[in-house]
Amino acid sequence: MRVWGGAGRGGRVLVRDTLPAVLVAGASVVLFSVHGRGQLGGQGVPVEGLREPDALGVALLLLACVPVAVRRRWPLTGLCAALLPETALEGLGYGTGLTGVAGLVMLYSVAAYRGLAVALGGLALSVVLYTASVAAGAGPPAAWSGHLVMIVALVAGWGVGRSLRLRRAYMAELKDRAARLERARAADRRAARAEERSRIARELHDVVAHHVSVMTVQASAARRVLASDPELAGEALSAIEETGRMALTEMRNIVGVLRAGARAELGPQPGTRDLPALVEQMREAGLATGLTVQGPPGPIPAGVDLAAYRLVQEGLTNALRHAGAGATARVTVRHEPHELDVRVEDDGRGADGGWGADGGRGADGTGHGLVGIRERVALYGGILSIGPRPGGGFEVRARFPLKDGQ
């Protein structure tokens, strides 16, 4: 069941529309009663065929004015209810008082609150009934100019109603469009925040996983030689201290952007230019690592440069953790005009399982390295391959396309 405008709003509208209906009805009754044959004849107005006011005329007059009270709730029904008694007044030769105003108000309401087809139907009905009442009228004939003015008034009232309806529809469309844009902006902000959180999570994982793995290996080495070679153990502990400082610095720079009002230290993101330092760090941690750079280095987009560095970092970290004692690793970076090829391979044990589905190497891997690497490589349209090597060990390789020679 449809509730028109809600109970509270419908009641307020009915009250607001009732007052004009009462005013129009009252004024019509007064004019109808005062302007009888005697009064109009004394003023020189033709009264041939004009009936004296009586109860029937008053009743028809009131019936023509009452629909104004429901003009917004049932405009078309109200228009029909107003036109029929008005036509009857004309046809029976009564004076119409202000019923013409009531009919005009109802026609305006149909045009303002209903669709175009209904509004055109209301206009046609008004014109037809007015023409029929004039043709069958028993009252004194009016000049053609008066009929023309009435037709123009009907069309003008209808046009004002349509203009108001179109304006309301336009304003509603503007509000709806503004609401849609606001929802779209909110969705974009949520997507941007989610993407930023994902990016920060990847960065934190790469930093923490790498440095903690290095610190764990160095701490294990220090524990084994603590009694037999205190000097070597001290060097390992110093390396752990330096690695911890580096991890804290990188984490502080990454997390700093999350703190409102905090000023993070600004610095360039790591890239392929920092691979020698990374390889040296892995050597100090006990993983024999080599670096080969092929081709003349060219300009690389910052995002691709960072993704390549993180891929090497993740590959070496997993080799350090899972390749086993005595394993060696090699990093190969090949620069081509339209491609950057990055490869990390080791000769560690290969029978204990490969990279887990979540990025850990080994059957019980629990990291998120593979997920992060796949996201980074896919983000820049690269091709990623991870798996065991035919001769033993594992290989991580990514090829990043470089557009326009970059």
Side-chain angles (χ1 to χ4, degrees):
M1 182 177 66
R2 180 186 177 192
V3 179
W4 185 82
R9 181 184 174 187
R12 291 193 298 269
V13 168
L14 182 60
V15 171
R16 287 201 301 267
D17 289 342
T18 299
L19 181 58
V22 171
L23 293 177
V24 172
S28 295
V29 170
V30 171
L31 290 176
F32 183 74
S33 302
V34 171
H35 292 167
R37 290 175 59 92
Q39 291 85 351
L40 293 177
Q43 298 174 6
V45 178
V47 295
E48 181 181 355
L50 183 65
R51 297 180 59 170
E52 288 287 348
D54 56 19
L56 177 60
V58 172
L60 292 174
L61 202 69
L62 293 177
L63 288 176
C65 296
V66 165
V68 175
V70 293
R71 67 182 188 86
R72 275 184 274 196
R73 177 172 292 189
W74 301 301
L76 184 60
T77 303
L79 176 64
C80 296
L83 291 179
L84 291 177
E86 183 181 353
T87 303
L89 285 170
E90 287 278 0
L92 295 174
Y94 288 109
T96 57
L98 294 180
T99 56
V101 174
L104 189 61
V105 170
M106 294 308 303
L107 179 60
Y108 159 84
S109 301
V110 171
Y113 298 104
R114 290 297 179 264
L116 179 60
V118 176
L120 288 173
L123 177 61
L125 179 63
S126 299
V127 173
V128 168
L129 289 181
Y130 176 76
T131 304
S133 66
V134 170
W144 66 269
S145 58
H147 299 312
L148 179 60
V149 169
M150 189 61 189
I151 296 296
V152 171
L154 290 175
V155 175
W158 184 89
V160 171
R162 289 307 301 172
S163 298
L164 180 62
R165 178 178 176 82
L166 293 177
R167 177 175 175 79
R168 282 201 306 266
Y170 176 71
M171 296 303 296
E173 176 63 25
L174 287 181
K175 291 180 180 178
D176 183 63
R177 184 179 303 176
R180 290 198 304 269
L181 290 175
E182 182 59 31
R183 289 194 296 269
R185 283 195 293 266
D188 290 342
R189 288 194 294 268
R190 289 193 298 269
R193 287 196 294 267
E195 182 179 355
E196 184 65 12
R197 286 194 296 268
S198 178
R199 185 190 68 81
I200 293 173
R202 289 196 302 267
E203 294 295 327
L204 285 175
H205 167 268
D206 292 341
V207 170
V208 173
H210 170 72
H211 290 294
V212 171
S213 295
V214 172
M215 293 167 64
T216 301
V217 172
Q218 290 173 332
S220 177
R223 178 179 56 80
R224 287 196 298 268
V225 301
L226 182 61
S228 59
D229 195 343
E231 183 177 354
L232 183 59
E235 293 178 359
L237 292 174
S238 298
I240 292 174
E241 180 182 7
E242 181 62 25
T243 303
R245 286 200 183 97
M246 292 173 59
L248 287 175
T249 299
E250 288 195 52
M251 290 176 61
R252 188 179 298 114
N253 290 338
I254 294 172
V255 178
V257 300
L258 299 178
R259 298 178 178 175
R263 298 183 60 184
E265 296 181 8
L266 300 179
Q269 290 276 29
T272 53
R273 65 185 179 280
D274 300 299
L275 290 179
L278 177 62
V279 168
E280 183 62 29
Q281 185 184 46
M282 301 307 295
R283 289 173 182 162
E284 294 177 358
L287 178 65
T289 308
L291 173 64
T292 302
V293 179
Q294 301 175 354
I300 303 174
V304 174
D305 204 26
L306 175 61
Y309 177 87
R310 293 303 187 197
L311 182 141
V312 174
Q313 186 181 55
E314 183 68 25
L316 292 179
T317 299
N318 278 276
L320 177 66
R321 293 169 60 187
H322 303 290
T328 61
R330 173 160 296 279
V331 178
T332 303
V333 179
R334 186 170 76 249
H335 296 272
E336 296 183 358
H338 299 285
E339 185 179 80
L340 176 66
D341 190 343
V342 181
R343 179 184 305 178
V344 181
E345 52 189 353
D346 65 68
D347 59 0
R349 63 176 184 268
D352 294 337
W355 287 58
D358 55 4
R361 181 177 175 181
D364 59 348
T366 58
H368 297 277
L370 180 57
V371 176
I373 288 177
R374 288 194 186 280
E375 289 179 352
R376 289 180 186 276
V377 175
L379 179 62
Y380 299 102
I383 300 175
L384 176 68
S385 61
I386 300 177
R389 300 172 59 204
F394 282 81
E395 179 184 76
V396 183
R397 182 181 181 184
R399 289 180 293 171
F400 298 94
L402 303 178
K403 297 180 181 179
D404 299 327
Q406 294 187 359

